[in-house]
């Protein structure tokens, strides 16, 4: 099936395959191992969306392939200007969930997020600060920007988003 042909997949096919498996809660060890190798080999052909959903999928199923995450961090830093709010939030969420904290990536995401904070929805705001706090990273300007964004969008926060945001602010102090 997919594992036999995975080396023939383009970057979009790889990203969509692991996303689909993660979305339905399936962590096929062989598939994810091969996908990590294939994605790492083709990382510079991934779009910002492809990078974000690939690491999201790996984190969602509890997998943290060091070589893949390192490759995604390098590619994401080089392409950070093309990431939208969801891609920024999902990328740092994935890194934090996988127990990885690439300092330069988090710094790049913080800078990009601060410049685009008005376009973040409540979940993206919550996931971003949750990721920073979970990864032990604090960026005062980012947290100030998120606080302003959250205040303006508070009516759209669900209980989980609100709890994650408050926890993140409490954790970083």
């Amino acid at each position: 099936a997919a594992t036999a042909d995975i080396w023939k997949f383009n970057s979009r096919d790889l990203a969509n395959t692991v996303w689909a498996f993660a979305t339905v809660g399936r962590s096929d060890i062989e598939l994810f191992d091969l996908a990590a190798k294939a994605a790492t080999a083709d990382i510079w052909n991934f779009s910002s969306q492809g990078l974000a959903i690939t690491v999201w999928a790996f984190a969602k199923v509890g997998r943290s392939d060091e070589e893949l995450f390192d490759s995604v961090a390098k590619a994401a830093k080089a392409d950070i200007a093309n990431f939208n709010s969801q891609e920024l939030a999902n990328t740092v969420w994935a890194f934090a969930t996988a127990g990885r904290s690439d300092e330069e990536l988090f710094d790049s995401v913080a800078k990009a997020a601060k410049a685009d904070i008005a376009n973040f929805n409540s979940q993206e705001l919550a996931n971003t600060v949750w990721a920073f706090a979970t990864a032990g990273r604090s960026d005062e300007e980012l947290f100030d920007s998120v606080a302003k964004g959250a205040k303006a969008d508070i009516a759209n926060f669900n209980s989980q988003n609100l709890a994650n945001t408050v926890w993140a602010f409490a954790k970083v102090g």
Side-chain angles (χ1 to χ4, degrees), residues 2 5 41 58 71 84 90 98 102 108 110 118 123 128 138 144 146 159 168 170:
D5 293 329
F58 273 77
S71 295
N84 66 30
N90 285 353
D102 183 288
S108 295
Q123 184 176 359
T128 300
S138 179
D144 287 347
V146 168
S159 59

Side-chain angles (χ1 to χ4, degrees), residues 151-172:
K151 184 177 177 184
D153 196 34
I154 196 69
N156 293 312
F157 274 69
N158 65 28
S159 59
Q160 186 67 58
N161 294 339
L162 187 57
N164 286 350
T165 302
V166 170
W167 174 85
F169 275 84
K171 179 147 170 80
V172 300

Side-chain angles (χ1 to χ4, degrees), residues 12 30 32 34 43 49 61 74 80 109 117 144 157 170:
R12 183 184 307 193
E30 182 183 7
F32 275 83
L34 287 171
I43 204 69
Q49 180 184 32
V61 299
K74 288 176 188 158
I80 203 75
V109 168
I117 207 74
D144 287 347
F157 274 69

Side-chain angles (χ1 to χ4, degrees), residues 61-81:
V61 299
R63 300 186 53 86
S64 175
D65 182 279
E66 183 176 357
E67 192 174 351
L68 173 67
F69 275 77
D70 287 349
S71 295
V72 168
K74 288 176 188 158
K77 288 180 281 193
D79 195 36
I80 203 75

